[in-house]
């Protein structure tokens, strides 16, 4: 079970997809944007996530940052909903806790606003090499 949860979380981090989880023995759902998975100082795997919706045991209204202990996640679903890294809200690749025991982390860079489909790229043919300024 734990391996499946880690696998889904890694997929979510890499694809910048939201997840719905149940945490501990609670029945309520939380919607998260998982940004980083790493090993905490006590050799426990943790996911830093931005909770956008759902339950909070402390009664705190979302959105907010929170570390989630992977072993306490009892159910997880990968959602179609995507997210952009929350740099303005405090996400940074340079945090000390990510330097050791990193499992997965999202990039701080935004995705392009437009991309061609795979078929369109094949139809265009190969890209021309960049020859530098003034060299055509």
């Amino acid at each position: 079970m734990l391996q499946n949860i880690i696998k889904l979380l890694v997929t979510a981090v890499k694809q910048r997809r939201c997840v719905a989880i149940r945490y501990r023995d609670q029945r309520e759902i939380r919607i998260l944007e998982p940004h980083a998975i790493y090993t905490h100082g006590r050799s426990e795997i943790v996911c830093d996530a931005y909770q956008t919706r759902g339950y909070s045991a402390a009664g705190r209204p979302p959105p907010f940052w929170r570390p989630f202990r992977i072993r306490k996640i009892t159910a997880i679903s990968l959602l179609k909903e995507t997210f952009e890294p929350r740099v303005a809200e405090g996400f940074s690749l340079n945090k000390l806790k990510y330097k050791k025991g990193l499992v997965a982390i999202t990039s701080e860079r935004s995705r392009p606003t437009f991309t061609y489909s795979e078929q369109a790229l094949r139809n265009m043919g190969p890209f021309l090499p960049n020859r530098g300024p003034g060299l055509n």
Side-chain angles (χ1 to χ4, degrees):
M1 175 80 173
L2 186 61
Q3 291 295 346
N4 291 337
I5 290 170
I6 293 171
K7 190 175 180 180
L8 277 174
L9 275 174
V10 167
T11 299
V13 167
K14 288 181 178 180
Q15 295 178 4
R16 295 184 188 169
R17 288 175 58 189
C18 295
V19 293
I21 68 163
R22 283 203 176 103
Y23 198 60
R24 297 185 186 169
D25 56 354
Q26 299 158 349
R27 295 181 54 196
E28 296 84 358
I29 299 291
R30 302 166 189 243
I31 306 299
L32 313 177
E33 297 175 352
H35 281 63
I37 304 168
Y38 59 99
T39 304
H40 191 266
R42 296 183 303 247
S43 299
E44 185 171 22
I45 300 175
V46 177
C47 176
D48 277 353
Y50 194 72
Q51 184 172 334
T52 58
R53 299 185 303 279
Y55 179 75
S56 168
R60 194 163 122 190
F64 54 83
W65 282 104
R66 166 129 191 242
F68 290 89
R69 295 177 177 168
I70 305 299
R71 67 180 172 84
K72 291 187 177 185
I73 297 174
T74 57
I76 185 169
S77 294
L78 191 59
L79 305 177
K80 290 181 182 178
E81 181 181 346
T82 60
F83 65 90
E84 289 298 317
R86 299 282 184 165
V87 176
E89 290 85 356
F91 175 69
S92 172
L93 296 170
N94 299 322
K95 289 187 178 177
L96 188 58
K97 62 184 173 182
Y98 301 150
K99 299 296 180 194
K100 230 161 71 171
L102 188 64
V103 176
I105 195 162
T106 192
S107 169
E108 288 180 350
R109 285 177 263 142
S110 295
R111 292 184 180 147
T113 55
F114 174 79
T115 57
Y116 290 102
S117 68
E118 288 288 325
Q119 184 62 38
L121 287 172
R122 279 195 292 274
N123 291 341
M124 285 181 210
F127 290 100
L128 296 175
N130 184 5
R131 297 183 186 188
L135 301 174
N136 291 326

